[in-house]
């Protein structure tokens, strides 16, 4: 198409009264939805499946050869979509479609393409390619947005949301010295994927630099499938508290010490594990708590355990719940300590606040799903995402599509092509809704 024709058609489209009120719509907003090219999007995912595929799963861990190959494939998709890609100094890939109003900040959409060890092909690529497809569909359908549209593929999400931390000014110098799963330091890895650690601050965006961020992602849990719903509208990414708890008893002979004279640290740890599970389950809501690691001393068959070091992972979207259960766990520990003649000592390892999705962005996602006739529910994300970093500088929202069997970070990870298509359609129309503000 000639440029003049393109502009002419875009202007005509922009003037179409797509936004119309539908009586009875609880949201008060609805519009005739556009649709992405589902076959093209799912075709890219199918091609991508061969990159980093090993006998034990997808291995595109950040900064590995397979990660580089995945990024090369992705850069090619950017180019095909007319998104002249640039790599920022943190190694994130950005591509832009200009808007019609130069005074407006960009709408940002995207995800990541790196994987965990022995992972799957959907965690990350669905949102990354979904975003590229949205940009390409807008071009194909000659729709011009007022805002610039930036597509981003963040680097090293699975190693601790490194690329998005850099881009939002959240990275710390010690982070750069950590060794990634590929065996390279973050510092070396960023250089390897085209970034520049010496100029890392240039990658940092600040509050007000972007209009909003929307990320499409697989659910990684089984709630949507279980409820028979098509779309999850993410309310936020849960905050977490990790504690290390040392239970001190007294190591003594397992044959000669009577049952009523023991100070069994293992028994106390077991009672504590059951007690925190009961405490969380007794309160309605979506709080989760897990004792995931247990180090027993001396860890010998014929000695009563003298010490146990265990970890507690506590998560919720509501910071008040995190504080409440932290207090409950400490009280339970004190009671169990008294009953078992042991001592509990708590050490906080990680304390991350919930990242709350923006109500307006959630509303655009809701409206988009409604216009497309898709069933949905609002829900928290129990897993971490780049969106939690972007939440520091911009209004954010996330769209979830069902994970078959609730499985992820596994070679069995799978989302149906129709669900991937639904998610991208929702992203496309949420972007249009966001553009209208
Ligand atoms: Zn992910």
């Amino acid at each position: 198409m000639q440029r003049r024709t393109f502009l002419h058609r875009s202007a005509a489209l922009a003037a179409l009264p797509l936004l119309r009120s539908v009586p009875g719509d609880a949201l008060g907003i609805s519009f005739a939805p556009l649709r992405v090219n589902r076959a093209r999007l799912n075709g890219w995912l199918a091609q991508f499946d061969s990159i980093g595929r090993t006998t034990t799963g997808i291995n595109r861990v950040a900064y590995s050869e397979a990660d580089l190959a995945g990024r090369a494939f992705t850069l090619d998709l950017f180019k095909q979509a007319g998104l002249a890609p640039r790599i920022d100094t943190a190694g994130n890939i950005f591509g832009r479609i200009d808007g019609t109003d130069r005074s407006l900040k960009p709408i940002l959409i995207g995800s990541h393409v790196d994987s965990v060890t022995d992972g799957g092909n959907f965690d990350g690529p669905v949102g990354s390619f979904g975003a590229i497809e949205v940009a390409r569909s807008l071009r194909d359908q000659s729709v011009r947005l007022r805002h610039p549209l930036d597509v981003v593929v963040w680097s090293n999400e699975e190693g601790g949301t490194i690329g998005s931390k850099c881009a939002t000014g959240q990275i710390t110098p010690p982070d750069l010295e950590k060794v990634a799963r590929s065996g390279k330091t973050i510092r070396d890895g960023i250089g390897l994927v085209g970034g520049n650690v010496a100029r890392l601050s240039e990658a940092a965006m600040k509050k007000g630099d972007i209009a909003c961020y929307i990320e499409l992602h697989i659910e990684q849990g089984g709630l949507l499938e279980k409820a028979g719903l098509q779309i999850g509208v993410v309310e936020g990414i849960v905050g977490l508290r990790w504690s290390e708890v040392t239970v001190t008893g007294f190591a003594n002979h397992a044959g000669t010490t009577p049952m009523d004279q023991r100070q069994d640290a293992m028994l106390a740890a077991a009672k504590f594990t059951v007690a925190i599970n009961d405490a969380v389950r007794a309160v309605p809501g979506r709080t989760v708590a897990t004792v995931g690691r247990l180090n027993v001393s001396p860890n010998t068959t014929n000695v009563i355990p003298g010490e146990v070091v265990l970890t507690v992972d506590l998560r919720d979207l509501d910071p008040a719940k995190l504080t409440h259960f932290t207090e409950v766990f400490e009280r339970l520990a004190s009671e169990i300590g008294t009953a078992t003649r042991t001592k509990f000592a708590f050490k906080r390892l990680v304390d991350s606040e919930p990242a709350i999705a923006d109500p307006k962005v959630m509303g655009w996602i809701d409206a988009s799903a409604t216009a497309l006739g898709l069933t949905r529910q609002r829900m928290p994300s129990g897993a971490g995402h780049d969106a939690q970093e972007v939440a520091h500088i911009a209004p954010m929202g996330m769209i979830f599509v069902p994970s078959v069997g609730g499985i992820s970070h596994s070679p069995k990870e799978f989302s149906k092509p129709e669900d991937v298509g639904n998610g991208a359609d929702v992203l496309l129309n949420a972007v249009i809704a966001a553009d209208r503000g």
Side-chain angles (χ1 to χ4, degrees):
M1 196 186 299
Q2 294 284 319
R3 179 154 176 81
R4 188 182 292 174
T5 326
F6 174 71
L7 288 173
H8 177 75
R9 232 187 114 189
S10 323
L13 265 171
L16 279 175
L18 289 176
L19 194 68
R20 61 190 162 82
S21 228
V22 175
D25 184 342
L27 293 159
I29 43 170
S30 187
F31 45 84
L34 301 182
R35 286 185 166 80
V36 301
N37 184 331
R38 294 177 167 219
R40 183 165 60 197
L41 170 57
N42 284 300
W44 293 340
L45 281 169
Q47 283 180 55
F48 203 52
D49 188 77
S50 64
I51 299 174
R53 168 69 69 186
T54 68
T55 51
T56 49
I58 291 285
N59 279 284
R60 283 188 296 259
V61 297
Y63 320 136
S64 65
E65 285 297 321
D67 181 35
L68 290 172
R71 290 169 58 90
F73 180 92
T74 306
L75 281 165
D76 199 43
L77 295 187
F78 268 77
K79 288 175 195 150
Q80 288 175 36
L83 296 158
R86 75 176 171 88
I87 295 175
D88 73 3
T89 55
N92 301 309
I93 305 169
F94 281 87
R96 171 170 292 195
I97 296 181
D98 286 329
T100 55
D101 185 341
R102 286 181 180 279
S103 72
L104 295 174
K105 297 295 182 189
I107 294 167
L108 184 64
I109 57 174
S111 194
H112 63 96
V113 295
D114 65 308
S115 78
V116 293
T117 305
D118 296 336
N121 191 44
F122 295 84
D123 174 356
V126 165
S128 299
F129 298 169
I132 296 169
E133 174 55 38
V134 163
R136 192 150 168 193
S137 289
L138 287 170
R139 262 185 201 280
D140 286 356
Q141 298 174 44
S142 306
V143 178
R144 285 294 297 274
L145 301 178
R146 295 188 304 131
H147 295 73
L149 179 68
D150 276 348
V151 176
V152 64
V153 172
W154 305 107
S155 70
N156 193 4
E157 191 273 347
E158 297 291 3
T161 55
I162 299 300
S164 51
K165 273 201 179 100
C166 293
T168 55
Q170 305 295 317
I171 202 85
T172 62
D175 289 335
L176 298 175
E177 309 313 325
K178 286 185 187 152
V179 178
R181 285 186 176 106
S182 58
K184 298 177 183 73
T185 61
I186 306 280
R187 175 183 293 282
D188 291 345
I190 288 175
L192 200 71
V193 297
N196 183 344
V197 172
R199 289 171 31 217
L200 205 52
S201 60
E202 291 172 25
M205 298 182 286
K206 50 185 194 310
K207 262 192 180 142
D209 281 354
I210 50 180
C212 68
Y213 174 68
I214 312 176
E215 180 169 352
L216 167 64
H217 205 280
I218 59 167
E219 179 194 350
Q220 300 184 266
L223 295 178
L224 290 175
E225 186 183 64
K226 206 163 168 224
L229 296 171
Q230 293 164 303
I231 294 292
V233 183
V234 176
E235 296 169 298
I237 295 146
V238 297
L240 68 84
R241 299 229 171 134
W242 281 0
S243 306
E244 188 178 78
V245 184
T246 303
V247 190
T248 309
F250 188 81
N252 207 343
H253 199 291
T256 61
T257 316
M259 294 303 278
D260 63 348
Q261 288 171 35
R262 299 179 174 211
Q263 291 171 267
D264 186 337
M266 182 67 168
L267 181 67
K271 284 178 185 282
F272 177 72
T273 305
V274 173
I276 68 169
N277 186 275
D278 289 347
V280 169
R281 296 185 69 158
V283 178
R286 287 203 167 114
T287 313
V288 287
T290 308
V291 173
R293 179 160 65 80
L294 215 60
N295 287 330
V296 184
S297 302
N299 208 20
T300 301
T301 307
N302 58 359
V303 179
I304 298 161
E307 187 187 85
V308 170
V309 179
L310 61 87
T311 54
V312 179
D313 171 314
L314 168 68
R315 303 183 193 214
D316 200 284
L317 202 53
D318 179 358
K321 282 254 182 82
L322 293 174
T323 304
H324 167 72
F325 280 111
T326 301
E327 286 165 10
V328 168
F329 295 172
E330 286 175 11
R331 180 173 52 75
L332 289 168
S334 158
E335 289 168 11
I336 292 164
T338 305
T340 56
R341 299 195 297 144
T342 58
K343 283 211 158 29
F344 281 70
F346 285 74
K347 187 171 118 191
R348 186 72 55 80
L349 298 180
V350 175
D351 196 345
S352 84
E353 288 305 305
I356 306 299
D358 183 80
K360 258 165 86 179
V361 179
M362 284 191 283
W364 296 327
I365 296 169
D366 275 327
S368 173
T370 300
L372 289 156
L374 299 170
T375 55
R376 66 177 193 278
Q377 69 173 5
R378 291 204 172 186
M379 60 189 294
S381 169
H385 296 289
D386 291 305
Q388 75 201 32
E389 309 305 335
V390 187
H392 286 109
I393 60 155
M396 71 79 178
M398 289 189 76
I399 301 158
F400 275 175
V401 292
S403 295
V404 172
I407 301 167
S408 77
H409 284 190
S410 154
K412 293 201 167 69
E413 177 179 285
F414 181 66
S415 289
K416 292 178 188 155
E418 71 212 62
D419 287 324
V420 171
N422 287 343
D425 278 348
V426 172
L427 179 62
L428 170 62
N429 292 286
V431 163
I432 292 169
D435 187 53
R436 288 165 180 163

